[in-house]
Protein backbone atom coordinates (compact mmCIF):
# COMPACT_ATOMS: atom_id res chain seq x y z
CA UNK A 1 0.00 0.00 0.00
CA UNK A 2 1.40 3.38 -1.02
CA UNK A 3 4.29 1.90 -3.02
CA UNK A 4 4.87 3.14 -6.56
CA UNK A 5 5.11 0.33 -9.09
CA UNK A 6 5.53 0.02 -12.82
CA UNK A 7 2.39 -0.98 -14.65
CA UNK A 8 1.76 -2.89 -17.89
CA UNK A 9 -0.92 -0.67 -19.45
CA UNK A 10 -2.46 2.78 -19.41
CA UNK A 11 -5.67 1.45 -17.83
CA UNK A 12 -5.61 2.18 -14.10
CA UNK A 13 -6.46 -0.99 -12.14
CA UNK A 14 -8.99 -1.04 -9.30
CA UNK A 15 -7.81 0.50 -5.99
CA UNK A 16 -4.83 2.28 -7.55
CA UNK A 17 -3.99 5.90 -8.36
CA UNK A 18 -1.41 7.68 -10.44
CA UNK A 19 1.30 9.51 -8.46
CA UNK A 20 0.06 12.84 -9.80
CA UNK A 21 -0.18 14.90 -6.60
CA UNK A 22 -3.85 14.00 -6.00
CA UNK A 23 -5.32 14.13 -2.51
CA UNK A 24 -6.21 10.70 -1.12
CA UNK A 25 -8.68 10.98 1.77
CA UNK A 26 -8.30 8.55 4.67
CA UNK A 27 -12.08 8.16 4.99
CA UNK A 28 -12.12 6.69 1.46
CA UNK A 29 -9.04 4.49 1.94
CA UNK A 30 -8.83 3.10 5.51
CA UNK A 31 -5.96 0.69 4.72
CA UNK A 32 -3.95 3.61 3.34
CA UNK A 33 -4.63 5.50 6.62
CA UNK A 34 -3.58 2.45 8.67
CA UNK A 35 -0.20 2.39 6.91
CA UNK A 36 0.19 6.14 7.57
CA UNK A 37 -0.77 5.77 11.25
CA UNK A 38 1.73 2.90 11.65
CA UNK A 39 4.59 5.10 10.33
CA UNK A 40 4.70 3.31 6.98
CA UNK A 41 5.63 6.51 5.11
CA UNK A 42 8.64 7.35 7.34
CA UNK A 43 11.29 9.27 5.44
CA UNK A 44 8.90 9.89 2.55
CA UNK A 45 6.73 12.61 4.13
CA UNK A 46 7.26 16.35 3.88
CA UNK A 47 5.61 18.77 6.32
CA UNK A 48 1.94 19.49 5.68
CA UNK A 49 2.69 23.21 5.42
CA UNK A 50 5.75 22.89 3.18
CA UNK A 51 6.28 25.97 1.03
CA UNK A 52 6.37 25.78 -2.78
CA UNK A 53 10.17 25.51 -2.88
CA UNK A 54 10.19 22.58 -0.45
CA UNK A 55 7.43 20.85 -2.40
CA UNK A 56 9.34 21.35 -5.68
CA UNK A 57 12.48 19.89 -4.08
CA UNK A 58 10.58 16.80 -2.86
CA UNK A 59 8.38 15.70 -5.76
CA UNK A 60 8.73 12.05 -4.72
CA UNK A 61 7.34 12.54 -1.21
CA UNK A 62 3.84 12.39 0.26
CA UNK A 63 2.40 15.48 2.02
CA UNK A 64 -0.33 15.50 4.69
CA UNK A 65 -3.18 17.87 3.86
CA UNK A 66 -3.24 19.48 7.37
CA UNK A 67 -1.56 19.43 10.78
CA UNK A 68 -4.15 16.80 11.77
CA UNK A 69 -4.47 15.21 8.33
CA UNK A 70 -7.57 13.76 6.81
CA UNK A 71 -5.51 12.52 3.87
CA UNK A 72 -2.24 12.66 1.97
CA UNK A 73 -1.25 14.29 -1.29
CA UNK A 74 0.41 11.66 -3.45
CA UNK A 75 3.92 12.20 -4.83
CA UNK A 76 4.10 14.03 -8.14
CA UNK A 77 5.99 11.64 -10.43
CA UNK A 78 4.42 12.70 -13.74
CA UNK A 79 7.04 13.79 -16.25
CA UNK A 80 9.90 12.98 -13.88
CA UNK A 81 12.70 10.48 -14.48
CA UNK A 82 13.33 7.93 -11.77
CA UNK A 83 16.81 7.75 -10.27
CA UNK A 84 17.30 4.60 -8.24
CA UNK A 85 18.08 5.56 -4.64
CA UNK A 86 19.51 3.43 -1.84
CA UNK A 87 20.49 4.27 1.73
CA UNK A 88 23.80 6.13 1.63
CA UNK A 89 23.38 7.33 -1.97
CA UNK A 90 23.65 10.98 -3.00
CA UNK A 91 20.53 13.05 -2.40
CA UNK A 92 17.52 12.15 -0.32
CA UNK A 93 14.79 9.60 -0.90
CA UNK A 94 11.96 11.33 -2.76
CA UNK A 95 14.15 14.38 -3.50
CA UNK A 96 14.31 16.15 -6.85
CA UNK A 97 17.45 16.22 -9.01
CA UNK A 98 17.76 19.17 -11.38
CA UNK A 99 18.73 18.31 -14.97
CA UNK A 100 22.11 19.25 -16.32
CA UNK A 101 24.65 18.75 -19.04
CA UNK A 102 28.44 18.94 -18.97
CA UNK A 103 30.01 22.38 -19.16
CA UNK A 104 30.76 23.72 -22.64
CA UNK A 105 34.34 24.89 -22.97
CA UNK A 106 37.01 25.72 -25.48
CA UNK A 107 40.06 27.91 -26.00
CA UNK A 108 41.42 29.94 -28.86
CA UNK A 109 43.83 32.74 -29.59
CA UNK A 110 43.66 35.79 -31.84
CA UNK A 111 45.28 34.33 -34.92
CA UNK A 112 45.54 31.05 -36.83
CA UNK A 113 48.82 30.14 -35.16
CA UNK A 114 47.33 30.26 -31.64
CA UNK A 115 45.35 27.06 -32.16
CA UNK A 116 42.02 26.06 -30.64
CA UNK A 117 40.55 23.29 -28.55
CA UNK A 118 37.30 22.01 -27.09
CA UNK A 119 34.14 23.32 -28.68
CA UNK A 120 36.01 25.83 -30.87
CA UNK A 121 37.12 24.94 -34.37
CA UNK A 122 38.51 26.85 -37.30
CA UNK A 123 37.56 26.73 -40.94
CA UNK A 124 40.04 28.21 -43.42
CA UNK A 125 39.06 30.14 -46.52
CA UNK A 126 41.15 32.22 -48.92
CA UNK A 127 40.78 35.95 -49.20
CA UNK A 128 42.49 38.78 -50.96
CA UNK A 129 43.90 38.77 -54.46
CA UNK A 130 44.02 35.40 -56.26
CA UNK A 131 47.35 33.61 -55.89
CA UNK A 132 48.59 35.64 -52.87
CA UNK A 133 48.10 32.75 -50.44
CA UNK A 134 46.36 34.91 -47.87
CA UNK A 135 44.15 32.82 -45.60
CA UNK A 136 41.43 33.92 -43.22
CA UNK A 137 40.42 31.58 -40.38
CA UNK A 138 36.79 31.63 -39.27
CA UNK A 139 36.42 30.90 -35.57
CA UNK A 140 33.36 28.76 -34.79
CA UNK A 141 31.85 27.18 -31.71
CA UNK A 142 30.13 23.78 -31.63
CA UNK A 143 29.27 22.15 -28.29
CA UNK A 144 28.82 18.69 -29.86
CA UNK A 145 32.58 18.63 -30.45
CA UNK A 146 32.93 18.22 -26.68
CA UNK A 147 29.94 16.03 -25.94
CA UNK A 148 27.63 14.16 -28.35
CA UNK A 149 24.65 14.90 -26.05
CA UNK A 150 24.51 18.37 -27.58
CA UNK A 151 22.45 18.41 -30.76
CA UNK A 152 21.07 14.90 -30.13
CA UNK A 153 17.67 16.17 -28.91
CA UNK A 154 15.49 19.26 -29.08
CA UNK A 155 15.27 19.30 -25.26
CA UNK A 156 17.31 18.24 -22.21
CA UNK A 157 16.59 14.52 -22.16
CA UNK A 158 18.40 11.81 -20.23
CA UNK A 159 18.20 8.23 -21.43
CA UNK A 160 14.75 7.06 -20.45
CA UNK A 161 11.78 4.81 -21.06
CA UNK A 162 8.17 5.95 -20.53
CA UNK A 163 6.53 3.33 -18.31
CA UNK A 164 3.23 3.88 -16.46
CA UNK A 165 3.71 4.15 -12.68
CA UNK A 166 0.85 3.61 -10.23
CA UNK A 167 0.29 3.43 -6.44
CA UNK A 168 -1.82 0.79 -4.68
CA UNK A 169 -4.16 2.47 -2.19
CA UNK A 170 -5.55 -0.61 -0.42
CA UNK A 171 -9.20 -1.60 -0.12
CA UNK A 172 -11.62 1.34 -0.23
CA UNK A 173 -14.13 2.04 2.52
Amino acid sequence: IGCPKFWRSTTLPKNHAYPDGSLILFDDWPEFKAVYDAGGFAGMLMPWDADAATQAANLGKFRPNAANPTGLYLPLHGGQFFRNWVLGADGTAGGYNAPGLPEIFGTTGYDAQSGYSGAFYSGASTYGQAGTGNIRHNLSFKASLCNPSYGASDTVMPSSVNIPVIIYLGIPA
Side-chain angles (χ1 to χ4, degrees):
I1 295 175
C3 296
K5 62 182 179 179
F6 294 116
W7 189 238
R8 66 180 177 267
S9 79
T10 57
T11 301
L12 195 61
K14 186 177 178 181
N15 305 331
H16 287 73
Y18 287 114
D20 61 2
S22 295
L23 176 62
I24 301 301
L25 295 173
F26 294 146
D27 283 349
D28 296 336
W29 301 97
E31 285 189 325
F32 191 76
K33 181 183 187 319
V35 170
Y36 173 78
D37 288 343
F41 295 101
M44 294 300 291
L45 286 169
M46 68 178 103
W48 73 271
D49 59 351
D51 61 24
T54 300
Q55 290 179 44
N58 292 282
L59 296 177
K61 293 189 177 187
F62 295 84
R63 184 171 59 90
N65 67 335
N68 294 312
T70 58
L72 294 179
Y73 289 100
L74 295 175
L76 185 57
H77 291 167
Q80 304 300 316
F81 297 95
F82 283 179
R83 179 177 183 221
N84 294 323
W85 182 91
V86 296
L87 190 61
D90 290 342
T92 59
Y96 170 74
N97 300 297
L101 289 173
E103 180 64 70
I104 301 172
F105 65 92
T107 60
T108 187
Y110 293 104
D111 57 34
Q113 288 74 34
S114 298
Y116 49 89
S117 69
F120 288 103
Y121 67 98
S122 177
S125 62
T126 61
Y127 76 94
Q129 197 169 17
T132 63
N134 294 329
I135 297 178
R136 177 181 72 203
H137 287 269
N138 299 320
L139 179 63
S140 299
F141 180 90
K142 193 171 185 181
S144 62
L145 293 174
C146 289
N147 187 306
S149 297
Y150 291 98
S153 176
D154 292 335
T155 183
V156 175
M157 179 69 71
S159 298
S160 63
V161 177
N162 295 334
I163 298 175
V165 175
I166 58 176
I167 293 177
Y168 178 60
L169 302 175
I171 305 298

